[in-house]
Amino acid sequence: MTHFLNDLRPAEAVRRALPAAAALLLAVGAAPALAASHEALPGNWLELTVSRGDSRSIDTHGTLLLCDPPEGHSRAAEACDVLARADGDVNAVAKDGSRVCALVYAPVTVRAQGRWNGRPVDYRRTFGNDCEREALTGAVFALDDQQVPEV
């Protein structure tokens, strides 16, 4: 038997709609709380995202890189060190001039937003592929890299 909302008694209709309304209110209320919680973080931190693919098919990964102490992805200590030497400016990260990258177009867009030494950071750039991204930004956006075990 199919019931439509207008076939239900008012109290039953309200009871069925409450869980959806509560979920919506929680979702809407959580977004500003997350943004506010990031602003309250002590020390140097960046919210990092890496998007692979073109505008029609984007695969996005993200993490919160904390540098006091380093955590957020498998190469967080290296990323924090690279950023510290560049004073938090991703454009000033030392480039790996010895790296040779294939001319394969597999676009990768990166974004870093956060605070470094009390200053806001907002960096966004699209690279031709992952090799180019790592040659120009080091470990900062190495979100998918696996930690290599020490022997």
Side-chain angles (χ1 to χ4, degrees):
M1 181 172 181
T2 304
H3 291 281
F4 294 97
L5 198 54
N6 59 358
D7 291 340
L8 301 174
R9 291 184 299 256
E12 189 175 340
V14 169
R15 189 174 56 240
R16 287 188 182 193
L18 277 177
L24 180 62
L25 286 173
L26 283 174
V28 170
L34 281 175
S37 68
H38 282 7
E39 290 301 319
L41 287 172
N44 298 322
W45 60 272
L46 296 175
E47 188 171 352
L48 305 172
T49 58
V50 176
S51 301
R52 300 180 194 298
D54 59 20
S55 61
R56 292 165 290 169
S57 63
I58 294 181
D59 176 19
T60 301
H61 300 283
T63 192
L64 179 64
L65 174 67
L66 302 171
C67 289
D68 300 316
E71 56 185 300
H73 60 72
S74 62
R75 294 174 61 191
E78 185 182 352
C80 291
D81 183 53
V82 165
L83 286 163
R85 285 186 269 133
D87 196 29
D89 182 359
V90 182
N91 283 312
V93 166
K95 315 306 183 233
D96 183 355
S98 66
R99 188 110 184 222
V100 177
C101 296
L103 295 176
V104 174
Y105 186 66
V108 179
T109 300
V110 298
R111 180 129 195 221
Q113 292 180 288
R115 298 196 74 72
W116 196 271
N117 292 335
R119 294 184 319 272
V121 173
D122 193 357
Y123 172 86
R124 181 183 172 99
R125 181 165 176 188
T126 299
F127 297 97
N129 56 43
D130 269 326
C131 179
E132 180 184 0
R133 178 218 22 103
E134 184 155 357
L136 298 175
T137 64
V140 176
F141 295 98
L143 306 187
D144 294 335
D145 290 357
Q146 296 299 316
Q147 185 81 28
V148 178
E150 294 184 64
V151 180

